[in-house]
């Protein structure tokens, strides 16, 4: 028998409370029974997003939320500034170009964070830029971009909105949507919110809703105005993912019981312990600065394939982590500390890495990283 451990940056483990709630008999999405379910989810997401505005709930992956955040606020030919520092930064560029936007990239070497002064320079040089697109946590590299600093720059431009992919950052990082001036913020169910894949969430500022009035991009399924109209009646525009929204309420209830500040602190503590344990083993981080609280990207030792490390963790020890993506495939492997994660998830992950490396012939003293993690995570 091989017990399975899920330590990937999505999907993440689902708490038993949510699993049991989602096993209840299905209810109809247009029945009176569903109205209080969606109303509870709506209020819970406002709490999580730290916003007074509605947070739309879409039946899609997070990428659907990204697509909708382009075609609902922009028109073909609009200028977009994309911060491209990883695989998901590249995704913003691809989506914007698919809808005919005129894309200018600020590209960084993978593993490095965006510099706010670069964004300020770009906006000063071309005030006609209508949107700035960025990831909060770049999942492919383990880097966190300084969203507060970036938002403080973009909010000074009346005709520019700030669009943040927070899909892997929600819950792991404190993102104050209203206070900081984030105009559009996207989340996904299978990350910090501890659910199966299938839901995307989009918070939208008053400033961004004005952009929706003039948008000329085609849309049908991802029509945010219609979603907003239906959400006011505690409905979704199309068939609601009833079971997932029931599970969402259970996960939000768990987070509310923990407290938002405590959830941020837990992710910070787990991320710090992971990094220090990895450092003790003698490995290097791929992220060179501003580490994400969601996932740690680790360089494979010289002579070893990162994909083989990732594979051996899964095949030999039942630990599903993550390999590298795009141009860093084979060079890194990644361990998540996101969502339904605690002390012994980190200890398990570090122990697995030590055992895999030793089994692949890399010199490592078993227990070195585990001991560091234990010291840092003791209560």
């Amino acid at each position: 028998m091989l017990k399975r451990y899920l330590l990937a940056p999505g999907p993440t483990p689902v708490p038993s409370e949510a699993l049991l709630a989602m096993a209840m008999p299905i209810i109809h999405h247009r029945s009176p029974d569903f109205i209080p379910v969606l109303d509870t989810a709506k209020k819970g997401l406002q709490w999580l997003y730290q916003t007074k505005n509605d947070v739309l709930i879409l039946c899609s992956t997070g990428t659907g939320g990204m697509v909708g955040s382009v075609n609902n606020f922009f028109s073909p030919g609009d200028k977009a500034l994309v911060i491209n520092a990883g695989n998901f930064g590249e995704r913003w560029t691809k989506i914007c170009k698919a809808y005919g936007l005129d894309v200018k990239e600020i590209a960084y070497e993978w593993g490095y964070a965006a510099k706010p002064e670069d964004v300020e320079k770009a906006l000063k040089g071309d005030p006609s830029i209508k949107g700035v697109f960025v990831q909060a946590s770049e999942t492919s590299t383990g880097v966190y971009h300084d969203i507060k600093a970036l938002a403080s720059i973009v909010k000074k431009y009346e005709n520019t909105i700030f669009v943040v992919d927070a899909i892997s950052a929600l819950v792991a990082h404190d993102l104050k949507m209203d206070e900081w001036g984030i105009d559009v913020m996207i989340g996904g169910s299978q990350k910090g919110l501890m659910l199966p894949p299938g839901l995307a969430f989009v918070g939208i500022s008053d400033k961004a809703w004005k952009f929706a009035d003039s948008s000329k991009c085609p849309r049908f399924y991802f029509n945010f105005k219609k979603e907003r109209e239906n959400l006011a009646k505690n409905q979704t525009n199309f068939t609601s993912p009833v079971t997932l929204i029931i599970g969402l309420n259970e996960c939000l209830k768990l987070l509310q019981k923990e407290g938002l500040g405590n959830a941020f602190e837990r992710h910070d503590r787990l991320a710090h312990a992971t990094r220090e344990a990895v450092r003790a083993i003698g490995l290097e981080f791929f992220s060179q600065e501003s580490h994400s609280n969601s996932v740690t990207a680790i360089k494979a030792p010289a002579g070893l394939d990162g994909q083989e490390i990732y594979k051996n963790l899964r095949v030999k020890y039942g630990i599903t982590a993550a390999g590298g993506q795009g141009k860093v495939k084979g060079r890194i492997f990644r361990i998540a500390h996101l969502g339904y994660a605690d002390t012994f998830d980190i200890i398990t992950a570090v122990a697995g890495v030590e055992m895999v490396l030793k089994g692949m012939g890399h010199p490592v003293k078993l227990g070195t990283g585990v001991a560091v993690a234990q010291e840092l995570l003791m209560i």
Side-chain angles (χ1 to χ4, degrees):
M1 184 180 75
L2 187 66
K3 186 173 181 179
R4 299 289 179 181
Y5 304 88
L6 185 56
L7 294 163
T12 61
V14 180
S16 58
E17 292 89 339
L19 291 170
L20 288 168
M22 291 188 292
M24 296 292 287
I26 194 80
I27 59 175
H28 194 274
H29 65 290
R30 301 300 186 204
S31 73
D33 293 343
F34 185 60
I35 290 175
V37 173
L38 193 58
D39 186 59
T40 299
K42 182 168 68 175
K43 292 172 181 174
L45 287 169
Q46 287 176 310
W47 169 80
L48 176 63
Y49 269 64
Q50 303 180 65
T51 182
K52 63 178 175 58
N53 291 322
D54 287 332
V55 179
L56 304 184
I57 301 173
L58 309 174
C59 185
S60 77
T61 64
T63 301
M66 294 173 74
V67 168
S69 298
V70 172
N71 71 351
N72 279 271
F73 304 109
F74 301 94
S75 301
D78 282 351
K79 292 182 179 179
L81 182 67
V82 172
I83 294 171
N84 183 351
N87 191 59
F88 294 95
E90 289 183 352
R91 184 166 297 181
W92 268 136
T93 295
K94 291 174 182 177
I95 295 170
C96 287
K97 287 185 175 180
Y99 283 93
L101 274 62
D102 179 6
V103 178
K104 175 182 178 181
E105 285 189 343
I106 301 179
Y108 296 95
E109 185 180 347
W110 286 28
Y112 290 86
K115 295 178 180 178
E117 58 267 28
D118 291 342
V119 174
E120 188 157 33
K121 181 180 177 182
L123 291 177
K124 282 183 177 178
D126 189 353
S128 66
I129 290 170
K130 294 193 69 175
V132 176
F133 296 82
V134 70
Q135 275 62 43
S137 169
E138 174 53 75
T139 318
S140 65
T141 65
V143 167
Y144 176 78
H145 296 299
D146 189 344
I147 298 303
K148 183 179 181 181
L150 294 168
S152 70
I153 293 165
V154 181
K155 71 190 298 185
K156 294 184 290 188
Y157 293 82
E158 184 179 348
N159 296 314
T160 308
I161 58 173
F162 187 41
V163 184
V164 178
D165 162 9
I167 294 167
S168 70
L170 270 179
V171 183
H173 287 274
D174 188 1
L175 297 167
K176 300 181 188 298
M177 186 171 178
D178 288 359
E179 183 180 324
W180 292 357
I182 300 169
D183 294 302
V184 182
M185 189 160 80
I186 304 107
S189 56
Q190 76 276 24
K191 308 283 187 175
L193 270 163
M194 308 178 287
L195 285 163
L199 293 179
F201 315 104
V202 187
I204 301 162
S205 73
D206 293 335
K207 181 181 177 183
W209 277 120
K210 293 176 183 176
F211 277 57
D213 292 334
S214 59
S215 169
K216 299 294 192 297
C217 281
R219 67 189 68 93
F220 180 76
Y221 185 75
F222 297 118
N223 187 322
F224 286 1
K225 280 188 175 182
K226 288 189 176 180
E227 289 291 354
R228 188 190 197 189
E229 291 168 6
N230 279 276
L231 195 60
K233 300 177 287 188
N234 288 320
Q235 296 287 340
T236 57
N237 191 23
F238 297 105
T239 304
S240 307
V242 173
T243 301
L244 284 171
I245 295 174
I246 289 171
L248 170 64
N249 284 341
E250 291 300 318
C251 291
L252 285 168
K253 191 187 301 181
L254 289 172
L255 289 170
Q256 287 167 336
K257 183 178 179 180
E258 181 180 19
L260 203 50
N262 291 332
F264 300 146
E265 189 279 331
R266 169 170 57 88
H267 281 86
D268 184 70
R269 180 166 45 87
L270 295 176
H272 174 67
T274 302
R275 291 193 297 267
E276 291 305 307
V278 166
R279 198 193 309 273
I281 296 171
L283 302 180
E284 297 179 6
F285 311 126
F286 183 72
S287 50
Q288 300 300 304
E289 53 193 3
S290 191
H291 305 293
S292 171
N293 284 344
S294 308
V295 60
T296 296
I298 306 161
K299 290 182 180 179
L304 296 185
D305 185 339
Q307 292 300 107
E308 284 299 308
I309 296 172
Y310 157 64
K311 179 181 176 181
N312 284 338
L313 280 168
R314 186 184 72 253
V315 173
K316 291 187 175 182
Y317 301 110
I319 299 171
T320 298
Q325 295 178 311
K327 64 184 181 182
V328 295
K329 188 172 184 178
R331 292 170 53 195
I332 68 171
F333 63 99
R334 295 172 294 148
I335 296 172
H337 19 77
L338 179 61
Y340 192 45
D342 72 355
T343 294
F344 290 97
D345 291 301
I346 303 310
I347 290 171
T348 296
V350 174
V353 169
E354 290 181 343
M355 294 162 76
V356 164
L357 291 177
K358 189 174 180 69
M360 295 177 73
H362 185 71
V364 57
K365 183 180 178 182
L366 294 180
T368 303
V370 170
V372 170
Q374 287 176 313
E375 288 285 353
L376 291 172
L377 294 172
M378 280 185 66
I379 298 173

